Amino acid sequence: MAFPPHPFDPLSPDEIAETANVVRNHNGAPNVLFRVITLLEPPKEEMIAYLSSPSPKAVPKRIAKVHIYIEKVFHELHIDIPARTIVSDRLLHGRHSHIDSAYMKQVEEACLQDAQVQDEIKALNLPDGATVIAEPWTYATDGMSDMTARITMCWFYMRVSDHPDANYYAYPLEIVAEVNEELEVTKIYRLPTGEEVDEPMGNQKKVHDHRKIHTSSEYHPDLVSTRRTTTRPLHIIQPEGPSFQISGNHISWEKWTMRLGFNYREGMTLHDIRYDNRSLFYRLSLSEMFVPYGDPRFPYPRKGAFDLGNDGAGVNANNLELGCDCLGHIKYFDAWHVTSSGEPLKMPNVVCCHEQDDGILWKHTNFRTGNAVVTRSRLLVLQTIITVSNYEYVFIFYFGQDASIHYEVRATGILSTAPIDIGGKVPYGTVVAPGILAPYHQHLFCLRIDPALDGYRNSLVVEESKAMPFPERTNPFGVGYVTESTVVEKEAGLDLDHTKNRAFKIVNETVVNQMAGTPVGFRLMPWYSQPLLAHPSSYHSRRSEFGKHAVWVTRYSDEELYAAGIHTMQSSGDEGIASWIKARRDSLQKASVRNQDIVVWHTFGSTHNPRIEDWPVMPCEKMVVGLKPVNFFDANPALDVPISSQEKNKSVL
Amino acid sequence: MAFPPHPFDPLSPDEIAETANVVRNHNGAPNVLFRVITLLEPPKEEMIAYLSSPSPKAVPKRIAKVHIYIEKVFHELHIDIPARTIVSDRLLHGRHSHIDSAYMKQVEEACLQDAQVQDEIKALNLPDGATVIAEPWTYATDGMSDMTARITMCWFYMRVSDHPDANYYAYPLEIVAEVNEELEVTKIYRLPTGEEVDEPMGNQKKVHDHRKIHTSSEYHPDLVSTRRTTTRPLHIIQPEGPSFQISGNHISWEKWTMRLGFNYREGMTLHDIRYDNRSLFYRLSLSEMFVPYGDPRFPYPRKGAFDLGNDGAGVNANNLELGCDCLGHIKYFDAWHVTSSGEPLKMPNVVCCHEQDDGILWKHTNFRTGNAVVTRSRLLVLQTIITVSNYEYVFIFYFGQDASIHYEVRATGILSTAPIDIGGKVPYGTVVAPGILAPYHQHLFCLRIDPALDGYRNSLVVEESKAMPFPERTNPFGVGYVTESTVVEKEAGLDLDHTKNRAFKIVNETVVNQMAGTPVGFRLMPWYSQPLLAHPSSYHSRRSEFGKHAVWVTRYSDEELYAAGIHTMQSSGDEGIASWIKARRDSLQKASVRNQDIVVWHTFGSTHNPRIEDWPVMPCEKMVVGLKPVNFFDANPALDVPISSQEKNKSVL
């Protein structure tokens, strides 16, 4: 950590400790349960001034954003760290912080010790030696319970093996418990295990069918007997070291410069991204993700996870391991979080940075001379991996020498499972092994793109390729086509249409590319996927407004980082991106996004109807979004990349 | 080459020489102009019998397919090589072989020597020392000329530098010549250089505007003065060698086996693809590609290239260079073509085979024990690169340890250019440098997928994900969704729809996955792109029928390898995939594709409206298509991939 810190630098351990002290001094140490101490990023207006001409005078203040509970009341405080003062203290009645693992552990224990739960488990008649596991999930609002009190759903599984890493998701049990804030089991539901929509609570005690016991659902190497031995080692060697330079959180690589941020919620964030010293993006981040399950039977509609807002991509980031998660010459970045008592908590290796070869970057052979000129593509890779209970997500930014950025999400890990009768079948899930239903679900990601193309006022252009009218004098052979562009004037949610080659371009209308005669811009290369399937009036839909459209454009606001709203935990909806737009739609001044400080949001993902091949652990499903310059530069920005040669690349036959 | 050859093996040089002898003995040596001597792949019926139980008796005959000209008449002969006999000799009146580079060279020379051409060039008033280049293109049928006589369009460029690799596409000249079969210039057209639709022939002689001379359009390293020096070497080392085994054209890697084919037209083809000894695909190949230009002004509608049917992906395949085109531990494959006099012609290194690391394959961390299990993904890469005049295409098959196949196309090289007035602008092209218009165009590729999932009778299923009705008893919370599947009964062209999560699955209805209870299958992961823009009644459209829909399914026929028909050179249309379907549509027996020997075709590509960044040489534009098992296996096929370890992967900090 450089000193003084850059305004985008995450809080240092000293700053976290200092902040905790200020809070403790104000509120009294024993009563404070710390959840979050993180950087409150400076107002963009201040940052623009700072980035445009940094001078000591103009350095934005270091403000910490703090989430604490005092006597079960949720507070957000802003602390001026150097001044050691509280700037604001806001009570958030009826809202909840992100998942508290210590509390979840208590819920589990309380649940397993509950007499009624034990009675239900006994009735299941599980095999001897089975270990029952209660897996707490946040309650996805379904309108059936008080939405202000914290409710946890405990889903049950069992391990039939002694091995601690035996896959307990292979044995989803037939009950679920609802636990309240006081750690009391308030309800136990017997789960439907066929198409039993008529008896949502289950009238009869369930009995576990022992025919479900099987051995083929393990993934841990100790438990998988066959392992291929054919894969020979592959090493990536950079004899002169990597091509990047890193100073604190500042990364510089192949004409790119940027600052890496990291917080408990979004995990990796990128700031002030430039190519060849031209400003491109103010901030890139995953804004939110939502995983709604499509099983309509009660109580499954309570499965719908906001993995950023509820769980936190930062707090769930893996400690990446050299040679396992990352191959080659690796630079790791650590992050700092806070313990419940306010001590700085180191999270090692949450982001890895390395280079990758990506095949041909450009090539041309002059067929008249036979001379080939080839360059290879090198990528800068910034990767973070999170574990959210059963699932894993890999989030990767790739930077290219051609000034392109790609954002890749890989979904892996273990499917969320539910019990199903042997021989049973339902139309909203796949039976992946005996007694195991993997219900259909969607993964909806929202990438937040805060552009700064040659300045902070940009516009969004929608361009389509259209056949010229025919027959027509100007199109005598019926082959002509043109592009039609529309500048989006007001905040809106927009849809993809590949049949029109509909392109979304972020442009700076005040800077014209001299050769092309059009504004400088970057094009979004979207990932085509299905929007949210849940009914518009459902809680799933109202809570995840960003899932309705693939592309959104809004006016920048310091308050609007999270597409489904700030507090997604048990949220009741109508507080996300569509609601912001709705609130401003009648003000031409507020809703205008033309040549303004705008944010573009891309919602993408997958409708994941599980395959047998996704079990017992899922090969990565990849989703890729791109950002490519369009008439931004004066020529191919990778024209000066070194010509490939065997002398340098040392391949072998 | 193994002996005896496998029936899928391309012809050996000896077989080519032998075939030429048979042809010469029959027709007399001096009169025969050889164009093609290639393997006529055995009838599929014979091959199925052979692959199902290979025995010496059942070995299909080695038949050569031969294209020759005798006295300018185009013949196709089939030669029984071991028997040294002519099986058939068919005259193809009015049809043309693929591009003949020797003839094209003659066209160029004749064109440059033509007095009228010289007169027009003189009128252009080119700068002193300029070298004029005539670039012959095939004539894309526009209905204006006799379509049976061979016509070549010569487009003109100039080099203003002495360097032989100076980029002449930077100086498109204002004229084009039409040359007939007798090497006579039959017409010269002056090109429109603004929106001049009214005077298609150009009334006034054109003069080249010297303000167009510039220095920023070079790509050759000798001519680009700035070159970044920041990219440090990256080596891929496999200390124990690669994980693949190769015997002749048989490739075996990580449970995959397949046979590599190669021919003058399609280039790389893959045969009898199996995973863990289960049959998956009989044949995978790029069937055709079409590059129609969207500039409506005469004579630009004559620009529309069938790069396989007209040019040949095989004959234009690059000689790949170690360390330049390919990084790591490389195995190269050679191919054999034929000279015009019938001698075997070696084409070295047309396909490279190597491995690549692809990041995380699957990972899970048990949050209760903290134990992470990670595997890295290794890919087998089969790459070929072709040069078609200005453009290059990289074609890559990737095989994954999870039994997935990905097919990637990268478009690179130099944009096709046209002259435009300084300060001019048209709505169907981008001005990329002074006087250079890069017209809009499309690249439409058609991947031919000949499936053999657990047998040779398969079906195509269209599956959509649909919200359940709401409000409804079975969907009380409005979150339920199901999949609906339809088996395609008759040959058809179908469209993509990501909003419905429309999935195209190839299945074997007679083999049911025991766990999932559904037929074993593979899903096509399409590349979403715009269909052909040209008007349905245009020649562009009628000639490239495959461009109308993204997915086609047909009954297998030995005759139907090429989606735009066999002879695309100056074709007049109505002989591609839609025409085959039309011809059979009334016969329920012939048109049925349910549980039959079927072929699935995927048309994809890009509407390429050039960017400044694509000039003077284009960074690769990637398009990726996937094939993934869906309930084909009993579990994740990559479950047994070695767990990643630093000990094996030797990364560094």
Side-chain angles (χ1 to χ4, degrees), chain A residues 108 134-135 164-165 168 197-198 219 226-228 230-232 235-237 240 242-243 254 275 294 296 301 318 322-330 357-358 360-366 368-369 371 376 378 390 392 410 412-413 428 432 440-441 465 470 473-474 477-481 483 498-501 515 529-530 533 535 537 540 607 609 611-613 615 617-618 620 622 629 631-634 636-637 640-641 646 648-649 651-653, chain B residues 108 134-135 164-165 168 197-198 219 226-228 230-232 235-237 240 242-243 254 275 294 296 301 318 322-328 330 357-358 360-366 368-369 371 376 378 390 392 410 412-413 428 432 440-441 465 467 470 473-474 477-481 483 498-501 515 529-530 535 537-538 540 607 609 611-613 615 617-618 620 622 629 631-634 636-637 640-641 646 648-649 651-653:
Chain A
E108 269 181 69
E135 185 112 324
D165 286 308
Y168 58 84
V197 282
D198 276 335
Y219 70 93
T226 52
R227 193 150 298 283
R228 62 177 87 182
T230 46
T231 323
R232 296 194 180 159
H235 301 159
I236 292 177
I237 310 287
E240 300 173 19
S243 315
E254 293 289 290
Y275 186 92
N318 291 187
L322 193 67
C324 304
D325 298 296
C326 331
L327 191 67
H329 200 116
I330 314 296
D357 176 83
D358 185 44
I360 304 292
L361 172 56
W362 56 261
K363 176 172 188 176
H364 183 59
T365 303
N366 182 340
R368 292 167 189 280
T369 62
N371 294 330
R376 294 193 70 78
R378 187 72 61 82
N390 52 302
E392 262 64 26
R410 299 187 182 196
T412 177
Y428 24 72
V432 293
Y440 293 171
H441 56 280
S465 296
F470 176 79
R473 187 182 59 83
T474 53
F477 299 90
V479 307
Y481 80 85
T483 45
H498 66 273
T499 66
K500 299 190 164 76
N501 192 38
M515 195 47 62
S529 54
Q530 188 172 34
L533 274 157
H535 192 274
S537 68
H540 277 3
T607 296
N609 307 333
R611 312 175 293 160
I612 294 284
E613 288 82 358
W615 186 258
V617 65
M618 190 182 147
C620 278
K622 286 187 200 177
N631 301 343
F632 187 84
F633 296 98
D634 296 328
N636 174 359
D640 65 344
V641 167
Q646 168 64 358
K648 230 180 156 183
N649 290 330
S651 293
V652 292
L653 289 170
Chain B
E108 269 180 67
E135 184 113 323
D165 287 308
Y168 57 85
V197 284
D198 277 338
Y219 71 94
T226 53
R227 193 150 299 280
R228 63 177 86 183
T230 47
T231 323
R232 296 194 178 158
H235 300 159
I236 291 176
I237 309 288
E240 301 173 18
S243 316
E254 294 289 291
Y275 185 91
N318 290 188
L322 193 67
C324 303
D325 297 296
C326 331
L327 191 66
I330 315 294
D357 176 83
D358 185 44
I360 304 290
L361 173 55
W362 57 260
K363 176 173 188 176
H364 182 59
T365 302
N366 181 340
R368 292 167 189 279
T369 62
N371 293 330
R376 293 192 72 78
R378 187 72 61 79
N390 52 303
E392 327 320 274
R410 299 186 183 197
T412 178
Y428 24 72
V432 292
Y440 293 172
H441 57 281
S465 296
F470 177 79
R473 187 183 60 83
T474 54
F477 299 91
V479 307
Y481 81 86
T483 45
H498 67 273
T499 67
K500 298 190 166 77
N501 192 38
M515 196 47 62
S529 54
Q530 188 171 35
H535 192 273
S537 67
S538 68
H540 276 3
T607 297
N609 307 331
R611 313 175 291 161
I612 293 285
E613 288 82 358
W615 186 258
V617 65
M618 190 181 148
C620 278
K622 287 188 200 178
N631 302 344
F632 187 83
F633 296 98
D634 296 326
N636 174 358
D640 66 343
V641 167
Q646 168 63 359
K648 227 176 158 185
N649 289 330
S651 293
V652 292
L653 290 171

Side-chain angles (χ1 to χ4, degrees), chain B residues 174-190:
Chain B
E174 293 79 358
I175 52 169
V176 62
E178 193 180 295
V179 181
N180 69 10
E181 187 120 27
E182 285 69 42
L183 302 176
E184 295 159 350
V185 173
T186 48
K187 271 178 196 153
I188 298 177
Y189 304 105
R190 295 171 198 138

Side-chain angles (χ1 to χ4, degrees), chain A residues 44 109 276 295 302 328 336 352 474 486 551 616:
Chain A
K44 190 169 178 183
E109 283 163 11
D276 212 8
D295 189 331
R302 293 188 179 176
W336 290 89
C352 69
T474 53
T486 315
V551 178

Side-chain angles (χ1 to χ4, degrees), chain B residues 580-617:
Chain B
W580 310 334
I581 292 177
K582 198 175 164 191
R584 293 191 283 255
R585 72 181 162 189
D586 297 325
S587 159
L588 211 65
Q589 199 253 317
K590 286 184 189 165
S592 164
V593 287
R594 184 161 186 174
N595 201 21
Q596 298 288 352
D597 189 356
I598 60 169
V599 178
V600 176
W601 316 67
H602 177 39
T603 302
F604 64 97
S606 84
T607 297
H608 186 188
N609 307 331
R611 313 175 291 161
I612 293 285
E613 288 82 358
D614 294 334
W615 186 258
V617 65

Side-chain angles (χ1 to χ4, degrees), chain B residues 57-75:
Chain B
K57 264 191 192 168
V59 179
K61 275 188 194 160
R62 294 290 280 175
I63 308 285
K65 181 164 83 177
V66 180
H67 286 175
I68 53 171
Y69 278 92
I70 303 173
E71 307 291 347
K72 295 194 179 168
V73 177
F74 184 29
H75 291 244

